[in-house]
Amino acid sequence: MSDRYVVIGHPVAHSQSPRIHSMFAAQTGQDITYDKLLAPIDGFADSLRTFISEGGHGANVTVPFKLEAYEAADEVSERAGHARAANTLKFDAGRIYADNTDGVGLVRDIRANLGVAPEGKRVLLMGAGGAARGVLLPLLEARPAILVIANRTVEKAMQLASGNQHQPLAAHTELSGAGFASLAGQQFDIVINATSSSLSDELPPLPDKLFAPGALAYDMMYGKGLTSFLSYAQAQNAALLADGLGMLVEQAAESFWIWRGVRPDTRPVILALRKG
Ligand code: ATR
């Protein structure tokens, strides 16, 4: 029998993860099945328990269960602990191991697929919710010179920044929290949208001239056409525009590695997904 994996979410019908992992499995010759599992909003723990008792090997976890997935674990990775959220679970000898591959997926997409090295760069991370928290540690590990976390609710950005200032990693990076208005006059090489504003076609209130020459504008959301943030970035002459599709495939590849010990080639999978 093939080893069984699922993505658990609510909703989950839209998830591309089964398609991505099927392509990884075909490419690497791994014998797995990967399905969608819709858990009731108040039934994550039950759904997880049932899947494990039926012989499940591992799971990806998506909105809104990443915090519950983290809490369900017997053992958590440093990056999941830092994010207080998990998107990858592995079941072994009755124990649940939790990891978070979102941040490493983002950094790998920026570095390997888009060819932009975050080292020594000025990085702006917009948002201070779960999505921003999930990518902060791997972003700091990439050693930018400056990392500003900007959020509509300024205190949340301040809290997220001050909670990370004592990390040894922050020695390489000037880390701070801010509101959007106080960004006026500053320029960044990499601007990452980790707010959920693109979901509602909105835009954080950004000052003009935020993008340094050659800057990358990155929206962690993806969809058909440009998100509202990427349209704005284009109008502001950002040199490179990227949506979150590459991050989606890269975080999946890291999960696949955790489960199977094999690293799939992400490039053909990203290309296939771009085609629709
Ligand atoms: P997620 O898990 O997607 O991060 P979240 O934890 O609810 O979801 O956080 C949403 C983030 O998007 C927050 O940083 C939120 O800003 P506030 O903390 O001020 O609420 C941000 N956000 C959502 N809509 C926004 C908008 N229209 N403009 C600016 N920021 C927005």
Side-chain angles (χ1 to χ4, degrees):
M1 256 221 339
S2 313
D3 292 350
R4 290 181 60 203
Y5 298 86
V6 286
V7 52
I8 310 178
H10 188 116
V12 79
H14 65 286
S15 174
Q16 299 270 18
S17 293
R19 201 176 154 207
I20 295 171
H21 284 280
S22 302
M23 285 191 258
F24 287 167
Q27 192 193 95
T28 58
Q30 292 285 309
D31 185 14
I32 67 163
T33 64
Y34 190 112
D35 299 304
K36 296 172 190 172
L37 176 54
L38 176 70
I41 283 289
D42 59 354
F44 172 77
D46 281 347
S47 300
L48 182 67
R49 220 171 295 128
T50 304
F51 178 61
I52 295 173
S53 70
E54 290 169 354
H57 282 70
N60 281 133
V61 180
T62 186
V63 177
F65 299 129
K66 290 185 184 183
L67 175 61
E68 282 181 79
Y70 165 73
E71 287 171 344
D74 300 298
E75 196 184 331
V76 301
S77 69
E78 188 193 2
R79 56 197 183 192
H82 198 265
R84 280 182 279 126
N87 73 339
T88 305
L89 300 177
K90 184 178 173 179
F91 315 128
D92 193 18
R95 288 174 65 79
I96 302 174
Y97 168 77
D99 206 335
N100 191 320
T101 66
D102 284 331
V104 83
L106 169 71
V107 172
R108 212 164 274 159
D109 191 36
I110 291 175
R111 189 180 276 140
N113 300 332
L114 301 165
V116 177
E119 287 82 359
K121 298 272 165 57
R122 295 162 291 178
V123 177
L124 173 62
L125 178 64
M126 304 193 296
R133 211 172 57 231
V135 299
L136 185 54
L137 180 65
L139 271 178
L140 281 171
E141 282 171 345
R143 300 185 173 190
I146 292 174
L147 177 51
V148 178
I149 303 168
N151 198 46
R152 185 173 56 184
T153 312
V154 183
E155 304 84 75
K156 280 168 68 181
M158 298 295 213
Q159 261 172 22
L160 193 53
S162 63
N164 285 277
Q165 248 148 12
H166 305 298
Q167 298 265 338
L169 291 166
H172 305 277
T173 305
E174 200 181 298
L175 176 65
S176 60
F180 291 111
S182 65
L183 299 174
Q186 297 184 62
Q187 288 212 312
F188 297 90
D189 307 298
I190 302 176
V191 180
I192 300 164
N193 184 18
T195 74
S196 49
S197 61
S198 291
L199 278 180
S200 46
D201 251 336
E202 292 173 33
L203 192 67
L206 295 170
D208 282 345
K209 303 197 173 106
L210 204 57
F211 299 95
L216 164 66
Y218 196 105
D219 201 327
M220 282 169 50
M221 302 277 160
Y222 66 92
K224 280 208 174 68
L226 291 182
T227 65
S228 40
F229 167 64
L230 292 180
S231 299
Y232 169 82
Q234 189 176 47
Q236 290 278 320
N237 296 318
L240 280 167
L241 307 176
D243 68 12
L245 190 77
M247 173 179 171
L248 177 74
V249 176
E250 294 297 341
Q251 63 78 29
E254 184 74 8
S255 298
F256 195 84
W257 160 254
I258 290 166
W259 293 326
R260 312 300 303 178
V262 184
R263 239 176 230 297
D265 183 4
T266 50
R267 214 161 277 252
V269 178
I270 294 173
L271 286 176
L273 260 63
R274 286 254 175 253
K275 283 192 187 137

